[in-house]
Amino acid sequence: WIFVVIYVFSVGALLVQSYILSTRPGVPLVSKILAGSAFGVYTFAFLFLWIPEQLVCDSIQFLNTHALFHTCSAIGCYLFVVFASYETHRTDLANTQSKETRVPSIRYDQFVPFVYLRDVKSE
């Protein structure tokens, strides 16, 4: 159960952070749709595929809900990465084009603070 608790906490933290960052003023609709879709797919997979499989595994095993859960969770992860990539690129581009008004930036390190994916030498 330790893995499940850590997994749920990690996914929950990413979902909450995505919600906070996607609901800021000035965030385009496409970002809100991507973040909302990632949240929706992951929540659906957890509530309607993984939990029922854990509760009544023997009686619904023929539905392959575990495989469907992994497929949906992969789609949710993909949508999250697209959201984070799009917002990072969008805010970087806006900040290089306008020297007066700084657009609040969404960085990968805001999602995973101990990982910084940008090459420091390139700046």
Side-chain angles (χ1 to χ4, degrees):
W1 283 98
I2 293 173
F3 167 75
V4 173
V5 170
I6 293 171
Y7 179 77
V8 168
F9 176 75
S10 301
V11 170
L14 287 173
L15 292 174
V16 168
Q17 185 71 4
S18 297
Y19 174 79
I20 290 169
L21 294 173
S22 68
T23 56
R24 296 183 313 176
V27 174
L29 181 61
V30 68
S31 291
K32 294 177 182 188
I33 290 171
L34 286 169
S37 298
F39 176 79
V41 169
Y42 231 105
T43 303
F44 171 82
F46 182 73
L47 293 177
F48 298 107
L49 297 174
W50 191 78
I51 289 179
E53 188 230 353
Q54 296 301 311
L55 296 176
V56 290
C57 183
D58 293 335
S59 59
I60 63 169
Q61 189 173 10
F62 68 95
L63 294 175
N64 293 323
T65 56
H66 195 78
L68 292 173
F69 164 74
H70 281 287
T71 302
C72 288
S73 64
I75 292 169
C77 289
Y78 174 75
L79 290 171
F80 169 77
V81 168
V82 171
F83 160 71
S85 299
Y86 175 78
E87 276 302 301
T88 299
H89 177 70
R90 182 186 72 82
T91 54
D92 282 352
L93 185 62
N95 287 332
T96 57
Q97 290 177 348
S98 172
K99 297 297 181 191
E100 296 152 7
T101 306
R102 298 289 291 176
V103 175
S105 182
I106 295 177
R107 312 264 356 134
Y108 284 107
D109 55 350
Q110 286 177 306
F111 295 105
V112 185
F114 53 88
V115 176
Y116 193 66
L117 298 176
R118 184 162 244 206
D119 182 8
V120 179
K121 293 179 183 178
S122 68
E123 295 182 4

